[in-house]
Amino acid sequence: MGIERADVLILGAGPAGMAAALYASRAKLDTLFVERLSPGGQMLWTHWVENYLGFPDGIQAFELVDKMAEHCRKFGIREMSGEATAINGDAKSGFEVVFAGDISVRCRAVIIATGASPKRLDVPGEVELTGKGVSYCATCDGAFFRDQVVAVIGGGDTAIEEALFLTRFASKVYVVHRRDSLRATKILQERAFANPKLEFVWDSVVERIVGDDAVKAVSLLNKKSGTTTDLALDGVFVFIGMDPNLAFVPETVKRDESGFILTDAWMKTSVPGIFAAGDCCSKPLRQIITAVSDGATAAFAVSHMLG
Ligand code: NAP
């Protein structure tokens, strides 16, 4: 088994992890920064960012990721790629974080910044047709639907932002929402209601995704009338929220009722020496700017703890 050592181990390379890495390295902590794939986290799933302070004209998401990665590497951090499978030990005797592939890292503090992944609808046809018309990433798959008809499922910021993005390619974008008003922020709602390519299907839930080799339709149940209808289309984009990526985190790290990690103002969890930052935390606002703030705070708290 390969063993690495560090004072602080940062898990996750989204904006929270990158900000933690920047602050930890500037605090001269012996820091090991672990990314599962390439840096960026959920930022890589979006096209354009227009609410990150300092970019009044907006910025391409991948460009912002590159700038952040370059910035956090500038102060010399050690990086490793890997997928954590368990956290053992405690702050007193030290932690051992185990990774797939027989690698482990011994450290004195852990910052969990592993983000969240898209929720599934859990309806028949979804798994079978994923990659054949069912998608969770408009940036990745939108261009495959040029001049075709798609539906976006959900009524939050992600659903509306991505529905608007999809109008660049698709001839028509249905937004299927389970209620009759959107959760998305007002400025996105205004844009969505003004876009002639968007059509809203209210009070409706997907019962089934229909197709063999490719998506052909979705069966929709109207919750008010109780009727079911098939909506013919070529693609289904599911944006119904996120689940935190915490399978490797011990039960002793307390969560809220939705499974997100509870932290205090220092980003401390219920387990001394384990900190959390970004979208895997229980919080009212999940944004790049709040993830960055969490990461900076967590690294600051670790530097206080380690003295
Ligand atoms: P979200 O805010 O939790 O919204 C999820 C949406 O999906 C809600 O409209 C919800 O309906 C619906 N939904 C949930 N479960 C469903 C189900 N089983 N079937 C059908 N519909 C379902 O999630 P999100 O849009 O992914 O956003 C996550 C966080 O990231 C939020 O804090 C958001 O503000 C933030 N975000 C911000 C930006 C931005 O600032 N530009 C962009 C993207 C995301 P109800 O409304 O009825 O609950």
PDB file of all heavy atoms in Angstrom, residues 26 42-43 66 71 79 106 111 122-123 170 187 253 268 281 289:
ATOM      1  N   ARG A  26      -0.869  29.190   1.425  1.00  0.00           N
ATOM      2  CA  ARG A  26      -0.361  30.511   1.855  1.00  0.00           C
ATOM      3  C   ARG A  26      -0.158  30.565   3.374  1.00  0.00           C
ATOM      4  O   ARG A  26       0.624  31.366   3.865  1.00  0.00           O
ATOM      5  CB  ARG A  26      -1.312  31.620   1.380  1.00  0.00           C
ATOM      6  CG  ARG A  26      -1.123  31.900  -0.118  1.00  0.00           C
ATOM      7  CD  ARG A  26      -2.113  32.914  -0.630  1.00  0.00           C
ATOM      8  NE  ARG A  26      -2.154  34.127   0.165  1.00  0.00           N
ATOM      9  CZ  ARG A  26      -1.315  35.143   0.051  1.00  0.00           C
ATOM     10  NH1 ARG A  26      -0.366  35.100  -0.870  1.00  0.00           N
ATOM     11  NH2 ARG A  26      -1.436  36.192   0.822  1.00  0.00           N
ATOM     12  N   GLN A  42     -18.500  21.008 -10.196  1.00  0.00           N
ATOM     13  CA  GLN A  42     -19.729  21.278 -10.955  1.00  0.00           C
ATOM     14  C   GLN A  42     -19.595  22.451 -11.921  1.00  0.00           C
ATOM     15  O   GLN A  42     -20.430  22.621 -12.810  1.00  0.00           O
ATOM     16  CB  GLN A  42     -20.859  21.599  -9.994  1.00  0.00           C
ATOM     17  CG  GLN A  42     -21.491  20.404  -9.368  1.00  0.00           C
ATOM     18  CD  GLN A  42     -22.471  20.888  -8.326  1.00  0.00           C
ATOM     19  OE1 GLN A  42     -23.432  21.573  -8.634  1.00  0.00           O
ATOM     20  NE2 GLN A  42     -22.203  20.563  -7.089  1.00  0.00           N
ATOM     21  N   MET A  43     -18.566  23.282 -11.730  1.00  0.00           N
ATOM     22  CA  MET A  43     -18.385  24.401 -12.662  1.00  0.00           C
ATOM     23  C   MET A  43     -18.200  23.878 -14.088  1.00  0.00           C
ATOM     24  O   MET A  43     -18.542  24.550 -15.054  1.00  0.00           O
ATOM     25  CB  MET A  43     -17.157  25.231 -12.269  1.00  0.00           C
ATOM     26  CG  MET A  43     -17.365  26.064 -11.025  1.00  0.00           C
ATOM     27  SD  MET A  43     -15.823  26.748 -10.420  1.00  0.00           S
ATOM     28  CE  MET A  43     -15.458  27.953 -11.667  1.00  0.00           C
ATOM     29  N   ASP A  66      -9.867  27.364 -15.047  1.00  0.00           N
ATOM     30  CA  ASP A  66      -8.427  27.446 -15.353  1.00  0.00           C
ATOM     31  C   ASP A  66      -7.746  28.509 -14.514  1.00  0.00           C
ATOM     32  O   ASP A  66      -6.654  28.300 -13.988  1.00  0.00           O
ATOM     33  CB  ASP A  66      -8.208  27.779 -16.840  1.00  0.00           C
ATOM     34  CG  ASP A  66      -8.433  26.567 -17.728  1.00  0.00           C
ATOM     35  OD1 ASP A  66      -8.570  25.456 -17.177  1.00  0.00           O
ATOM     36  OD2 ASP A  66      -8.483  26.737 -18.956  1.00  0.00           O
ATOM     37  N   HIS A  71      -4.233  29.804 -10.088  1.00  0.00           N
ATOM     38  CA  HIS A  71      -4.013  30.613  -8.883  1.00  0.00           C
ATOM     39  C   HIS A  71      -3.644  29.728  -7.696  1.00  0.00           C
ATOM     40  O   HIS A  71      -2.712  30.014  -6.953  1.00  0.00           O
ATOM     41  CB  HIS A  71      -5.285  31.422  -8.593  1.00  0.00           C
ATOM     42  CG  HIS A  71      -5.097  32.533  -7.625  1.00  0.00           C
ATOM     43  ND1 HIS A  71      -6.081  33.426  -7.326  1.00  0.00           N
ATOM     44  CD2 HIS A  71      -4.035  32.895  -6.867  1.00  0.00           C
ATOM     45  CE1 HIS A  71      -5.631  34.286  -6.444  1.00  0.00           C
ATOM     46  NE2 HIS A  71      -4.398  33.986  -6.140  1.00  0.00           N
ATOM     47  N   GLU A  79      -0.274  17.826  -5.288  1.00  0.00           N
ATOM     48  CA  GLU A  79      -1.554  17.343  -5.829  1.00  0.00           C
ATOM     49  C   GLU A  79      -1.494  15.854  -6.075  1.00  0.00           C
ATOM     50  O   GLU A  79      -0.416  15.318  -6.354  1.00  0.00           O
ATOM     51  CB  GLU A  79      -1.831  18.003  -7.175  1.00  0.00           C
ATOM     52  CG  GLU A  79      -2.215  19.440  -7.089  1.00  0.00           C
ATOM     53  CD  GLU A  79      -2.401  20.032  -8.472  1.00  0.00           C
ATOM     54  OE1 GLU A  79      -3.359  19.645  -9.157  1.00  0.00           O
ATOM     55  OE2 GLU A  79      -1.575  20.861  -8.860  1.00  0.00           O
ATOM     56  N   ARG A 106      -1.932   9.773   5.506  1.00  0.00           N
ATOM     57  CA  ARG A 106      -1.995  10.074   6.938  1.00  0.00           C
ATOM     58  C   ARG A 106      -1.915  11.581   7.091  1.00  0.00           C
ATOM     59  O   ARG A 106      -1.046  12.229   6.492  1.00  0.00           O
ATOM     60  CB  ARG A 106      -0.826   9.415   7.656  1.00  0.00           C
ATOM     61  CG  ARG A 106      -0.833   7.920   7.414  1.00  0.00           C
ATOM     62  CD  ARG A 106      -0.603   7.130   8.670  1.00  0.00           C
ATOM     63  NE  ARG A 106      -0.938   5.729   8.401  1.00  0.00           N
ATOM     64  CZ  ARG A 106      -0.074   4.739   8.411  1.00  0.00           C
ATOM     65  NH1 ARG A 106       1.182   4.949   8.733  1.00  0.00           N
ATOM     66  NH2 ARG A 106      -0.459   3.509   8.158  1.00  0.00           N
ATOM     67  N   ILE A 111     -10.164  18.362   4.997  1.00  0.00           N
ATOM     68  CA  ILE A 111     -11.235  19.258   4.522  1.00  0.00           C
ATOM     69  C   ILE A 111     -11.990  18.517   3.413  1.00  0.00           C
ATOM     70  O   ILE A 111     -11.411  18.174   2.377  1.00  0.00           O
ATOM     71  CB  ILE A 111     -10.669  20.599   3.990  1.00  0.00           C
ATOM     72  CG1 ILE A 111      -9.925  21.352   5.097  1.00  0.00           C
ATOM     73  CG2 ILE A 111     -11.796  21.456   3.409  1.00  0.00           C
ATOM     74  CD1 ILE A 111      -9.238  22.639   4.634  1.00  0.00           C
ATOM     75  N   ASP A 122     -35.426   8.586 -11.029  1.00  0.00           N
ATOM     76  CA  ASP A 122     -35.851   7.246 -10.591  1.00  0.00           C
ATOM     77  C   ASP A 122     -37.172   6.834 -11.228  1.00  0.00           C
ATOM     78  O   ASP A 122     -38.124   6.451 -10.530  1.00  0.00           O
ATOM     79  CB  ASP A 122     -35.967   7.181  -9.055  1.00  0.00           C
ATOM     80  CG  ASP A 122     -34.615   7.056  -8.409  1.00  0.00           C
ATOM     81  OD1 ASP A 122     -33.712   6.517  -9.075  1.00  0.00           O
ATOM     82  OD2 ASP A 122     -34.468   7.511  -7.268  1.00  0.00           O
ATOM     83  N   VAL A 123     -37.243   6.971 -12.538  1.00  0.00           N
ATOM     84  CA  VAL A 123     -38.439   6.510 -13.268  1.00  0.00           C
ATOM     85  C   VAL A 123     -38.010   5.490 -14.321  1.00  0.00           C
ATOM     86  O   VAL A 123     -36.844   5.498 -14.751  1.00  0.00           O
ATOM     87  CB  VAL A 123     -39.186   7.691 -13.966  1.00  0.00           C
ATOM     88  CG1 VAL A 123     -39.756   8.641 -12.937  1.00  0.00           C
ATOM     89  CG2 VAL A 123     -38.288   8.398 -14.975  1.00  0.00           C
ATOM     90  N   ALA A 170     -31.563  23.669 -29.482  1.00  0.00           N
ATOM     91  CA  ALA A 170     -32.840  22.988 -29.711  1.00  0.00           C
ATOM     92  C   ALA A 170     -33.834  23.918 -30.402  1.00  0.00           C
ATOM     93  O   ALA A 170     -33.759  25.144 -30.267  1.00  0.00           O
ATOM     94  CB  ALA A 170     -33.407  22.516 -28.380  1.00  0.00           C
ATOM     95  N   ILE A 187     -34.292  36.889 -11.880  1.00  0.00           N
ATOM     96  CA  ILE A 187     -33.715  37.351 -13.164  1.00  0.00           C
ATOM     97  C   ILE A 187     -33.734  36.210 -14.192  1.00  0.00           C
ATOM     98  O   ILE A 187     -33.994  36.437 -15.382  1.00  0.00           O
ATOM     99  CB  ILE A 187     -32.303  37.949 -12.971  1.00  0.00           C
ATOM    100  CG1 ILE A 187     -31.850  38.676 -14.235  1.00  0.00           C
ATOM    101  CG2 ILE A 187     -31.274  36.930 -12.558  1.00  0.00           C
ATOM    102  CD1 ILE A 187     -30.660  39.596 -14.050  1.00  0.00           C
ATOM    103  N   VAL A 253     -19.822  11.959  11.266  1.00  0.00           N
ATOM    104  CA  VAL A 253     -19.901  13.334  10.741  1.00  0.00           C
ATOM    105  C   VAL A 253     -21.384  13.623  10.516  1.00  0.00           C
ATOM    106  O   VAL A 253     -22.015  13.053   9.622  1.00  0.00           O
ATOM    107  CB  VAL A 253     -19.090  13.479   9.428  1.00  0.00           C
ATOM    108  CG1 VAL A 253     -19.287  14.859   8.826  1.00  0.00           C
ATOM    109  CG2 VAL A 253     -17.614  13.199   9.677  1.00  0.00           C
ATOM    110  N   LYS A 268     -16.220  23.661  10.811  1.00  0.00           N
ATOM    111  CA  LYS A 268     -15.932  22.442  11.572  1.00  0.00           C
ATOM    112  C   LYS A 268     -17.148  21.530  11.488  1.00  0.00           C
ATOM    113  O   LYS A 268     -18.286  22.009  11.579  1.00  0.00           O
ATOM    114  CB  LYS A 268     -15.714  22.776  13.048  1.00  0.00           C
ATOM    115  CG  LYS A 268     -14.422  23.491  13.340  1.00  0.00           C
ATOM    116  CD  LYS A 268     -14.337  23.776  14.834  1.00  0.00           C
ATOM    117  CE  LYS A 268     -13.155  24.653  15.141  1.00  0.00           C
ATOM    118  NZ  LYS A 268     -13.141  25.135  16.517  1.00  0.00           N
ATOM    119  N   CYS A 281     -21.971  20.785   1.987  1.00  0.00           N
ATOM    120  CA  CYS A 281     -22.390  21.265   3.314  1.00  0.00           C
ATOM    121  C   CYS A 281     -23.862  21.661   3.318  1.00  0.00           C
ATOM    122  O   CYS A 281     -24.411  22.070   2.293  1.00  0.00           O
ATOM    123  CB  CYS A 281     -21.604  22.527   3.699  1.00  0.00           C
ATOM    124  SG  CYS A 281     -19.865  22.256   3.837  1.00  0.00           S
ATOM    125  N   ILE A 289     -19.368  31.522  -5.288  1.00  0.00           N
ATOM    126  CA  ILE A 289     -18.846  32.509  -4.340  1.00  0.00           C
ATOM    127  C   ILE A 289     -18.951  31.996  -2.890  1.00  0.00           C
ATOM    128  O   ILE A 289     -18.062  32.254  -2.068  1.00  0.00           O
ATOM    129  CB  ILE A 289     -19.547  33.878  -4.540  1.00  0.00           C
ATOM    130  CG1 ILE A 289     -18.665  35.013  -4.056  1.00  0.00           C
ATOM    131  CG2 ILE A 289     -20.928  33.928  -3.911  1.00  0.00           C
ATOM    132  CD1 ILE A 289     -19.068  36.366  -4.606  1.00  0.00           C
TER     133      ILE A 289
END
